[in-house]
Amino acid sequence: MDRELQLISSLAQKTGSKIVLFVMDGLGDVACDELGGSTPLEAARTPNLDRLSARSELGLLDPVLPGVTPGSGPGHTALFGYEPTEHLIGRGVLEGLGIGFVFTDRDVAARFNFASTDASGNITDRRAGRIDSASAAALCEKLEEAIPSVKGAQITVRAVKEHRGVVVFRGDGLGDRLPDTDPQRTGVPPLTPRGLDAASEVTALAAAQFVEKARALLVKEPKANTVLLRGFARYVPLPPFSEVFKLTAAALALYPMYRGLASLAGMTVLDAGVDTDAQIARLKASWRDFDFFFVHVKKTDSYGEDGDVQGKLRVVEETDAKLVPAILDLAPDVLAVTGDHSTPCSMASHSFHPVPLLVNARYVRYHGPGGFGETSCRTGSLGRLRGRHLMPLLMGYAGKLAKYGA
C-alpha cells in the first residue's frame, strides 16, 4: 500500500452515507463534424444529467497522467483509488476473474479476441465482426478440446463475452512479460508472441504453439479464423477496498472484465443480469446492504471503438433516460458520473484526452453551469484531477474521512 493509500486508510471511517461511482466506459470524446462540432455527450439529449449538473461540481479526470492513453485496467484501477503506475494488471487476469476462473501461482492468462484475417494472413477485422457470445463459446469449446496442452503448459480456454475469450497457460517457470500479439490495426499480420525475459520466453513459445494450432482449427471459419492475444498477466490482488476505504462495496457490471476489476479490489460482485433493467433491479434490491456501489455501462466505449457516433450518442441518451433516474431515485449521498478513459469516435480507439466528471453531494461548493459535457466540465470548479484522487474526494464529500492532524 503506497503512502497516499496509507493516509486515506488511516483517516477512513465507517458512516451510514452511501456513494455511487457511475462509470460510462470510454465516455470522453472530441468535437465531431457529424454533430456540428459537439461531442456525442454534448449533442445527446440528457435532461437528467443536465439538471443534475446544475447542482453539482464538474471537472476533468486524467485516468493516469496527462498525455497517457490508458487501457481499461489502469483507468478503473485509478478510479478505485489505486496508483495505476504501480498496479498494472493484465486483461487476461481481469477477464478470467470476471467469469469466475480460479487462478493458481502457476498460471499466466491472456485475454484474446477472435479476429478475421485474409488469405495473406493480414488482419481485416480485429473483433471478427463482434461475433455473438454463443458462437464464440462454441469456438472456445472447440479450441479447449483440441488443444489440451502445448509444450511447457496445460491450456484452458474460456469464453468471456461476444468476441472475447481467455486462455490460461498453466505450468512451471512461466513468465508474464509478453507484449500483445494484437497490432491494434488492420492490414498487417498478427505479431509473434515474444518474451521479455527468460521465463516469459517459455510462455511465448507456448503461446506461439497455441496460436498456430488455433489458426489451423479455425481456418474455415467465415469470420473468426484467428486469435489475437492481449494482456498477459499473473494474478496479484490489490489492497482490499474494504480495508483501505472502510467501505462495504458492491459492483454491478454487465461485462466480465469489469466484474474482474471489482473482484480484484475485493468488492462484492453482484449478478447484474444481461441488460439495464436487470442491472437497475439488482441495484435497488441491494441498496440497503452496501455503502458503495460501482455501476458500469460498456456500450459507450464499444461504439466509440467502432467509430459509430450515432451509436455512442444513443447509448448516452438511453442511459440518461433509464439508469440515471434509477440511481437518483435511491438518493445516494454522493454520486460521481465519469468514464475510465476517452474513446473518440473519430479515432476509434482509446485516447489520452481527459474524461468528463460530475460530482453531486450535499456540500458541493459551486454549482455547474448546466449541461454535462466536455466543454462545461473544462470550466468546472473541480478543475483537472488525477483519476486516483477521485475516491478520496468522494470519501470527503460523504463524510467518511476524519480530520488529518491537529
Side-chain angles (χ1 to χ4, degrees), residues 63-130:
V64 179
L65 290 169
V68 175
T69 297
S72 296
H76 280 85
T77 301
L79 290 179
F80 294 163
Y82 304 99
E83 174 52 59
T85 63
E86 294 183 10
H87 300 282
L88 184 60
I89 305 117
R91 292 189 71 140
V93 163
L94 297 177
E95 300 279 12
L97 289 172
I99 59 172
F101 189 85
V102 179
F103 288 99
T104 75
D105 58 7
R106 299 175 66 232
D107 295 342
V108 172
R111 175 309 212 7
F112 66 82
N113 282 6
F114 285 110
S116 310
T117 56
D118 60 21
S120 299
N122 293 325
I123 300 167
T124 58
D125 189 328
R126 294 176 48 242
R127 301 177 182 88
R130 293 191 182 274

Side-chain angles (χ1 to χ4, degrees), residues 88 90-92 108-112 167 169 175-184 190-197 199-205 207-208 211 227-233:
L88 184 60
R91 292 189 71 140
V108 172
R111 175 309 212 7
F112 66 82
V167 56
F169 301 90
D176 63 353
R177 296 189 62 220
L178 293 85
D180 298 348
T181 69
D182 182 354
Q184 297 284 322
L191 302 174
T192 301
R194 177 171 58 92
L196 301 181
D197 56 32
S200 300
E201 186 58 33
V202 176
T203 310
L205 293 172
V211 170
V227 294
L228 303 175
L229 305 182
R230 303 174 61 184
F232 289 87

Side-chain angles (χ1 to χ4, degrees), residues 280-345:
I280 291 171
R282 191 59 191 267
L283 174 64
K284 291 180 177 179
S286 307
W287 187 248
R288 293 186 178 183
D289 301 328
F290 302 91
D291 53 18
F292 179 92
F293 294 85
F294 161 53
V295 182
H296 182 269
V297 168
K298 172 62 178 173
K299 288 297 185 179
T300 33
D301 179 56
S302 300
Y303 284 116
E305 289 185 333
D306 289 345
D308 187 341
V309 174
Q310 293 300 324
K312 187 171 184 178
L313 183 153
R314 185 171 61 253
V315 171
V316 172
E317 291 185 342
E318 291 170 353
T319 300
D320 182 81
K322 294 185 70 172
L323 195 46
V324 172
I327 293 172
L328 294 178
D329 284 347
L330 294 168
D333 297 278
V334 180
L335 168 62
V337 182
T338 189
D340 58 330
H341 55 76
S342 292
T343 307
C345 295

